[in-house]
Amino acid sequence: GAGVSQSPSNKVTEKGKDVELRCDPISGHTALYWYRQSLGQGLEFLIYFQGNSAPDKSGLPSDRFSAERTGGSVSTLTIQRTQQEDSAVYLCASSLASTGTQYFGPGTRLTVL
Amino acid sequence: QKEVEQNSGPLSVPEGAIASLNCTYSDRGSQSFFWYRQYSGKSPELIMSIYSNGDKEDGRFTAQLNKASQYVSLLIRDSQPSDSATYLCAPRAMNRDDKIIFGKGTRLHILP
């Protein structure tokens, strides 16, 4: 079946511009995570959606970052007024609450010039 | 604050030897544990999960769990160059709605 998809795969933007990154989770998965991974670094948790509960936004690094999940499915991560330090790979993962196994998308590589 | 600790490495192991990757966690309520592998430039993928104390074997991989010591490990027997990757540990709390926190990972390098 279809896995987690993310778009775009690559995004180059200029400092100060806003960007939107999209994640399509596996159908039926109630949990959705966003992570950021800088070159050679570990996964940095950003935000977690679980069912109809309020999202856990504790990992968002600043108020320039926000995310939505519409209809319990597709999620969009928005970064406003991008900075060079926002350059990284942004990964999305989804899972079933029953198993907890996260399935990762291929990621979006963001480059801020 | 729940913490997951892994030695960042790199851990260098000769081809054919056993690679031992370790992970400690702070949340005593953790009930299940996941090991993921991440190749350079790729996304993480699940290798194994373990729920009960003791060993769980899957091919060349063995996960070992000791809840009393808050310690979980992954052994890779007959290491191959294709095992060179970063290995991430992720404990899961009893409450299934709690988010899962990953360790920073251990970089493993298998020497041909």
Side-chain angles (χ1 to χ4, degrees), chain A residues 24-77:
Chain A
D24 282 88
I26 293 172
S27 178
H29 280 193
T30 56
L32 187 149
Y33 293 78
W34 281 99
Y35 299 94
R36 179 169 69 176
Q37 191 169 36
S38 300
L39 188 63
Q41 302 300 308
L43 293 175
E44 177 187 4
F45 165 76
L46 297 178
I47 189 167
Y48 167 56
F49 297 90
Q50 172 52 48
N52 297 319
S53 301
D56 181 334
K57 304 179 182 181
S58 60
L60 294 178
S62 76
D63 58 8
R64 296 186 296 105
F65 288 73
S66 63
E68 290 184 340
R69 188 177 186 191
T70 54
S73 181
V74 172
S75 178
T76 302
L77 177 69

Side-chain angles (χ1 to χ4, degrees), chain A residues 33 35 37 45 48 56 91 97-102 104-105, chain B residues 34 36 38 43-44 46 88 92 96-100 102 104:
Chain A
Y33 293 78
Y35 299 94
Q37 191 169 36
F45 165 76
Y48 167 56
D56 181 334
L91 290 164
S98 57
T99 66
T101 300
Q102 293 185 42
F104 284 80
Chain B
F34 302 93
Y36 287 77
Q38 185 177 25
S43 298
L46 180 73
L88 304 166
R92 188 184 193 194
R96 291 180 170 183
D97 287 343
D98 284 357
K99 71 176 182 284
I100 294 173
F102 281 86
K104 294 296 185 185

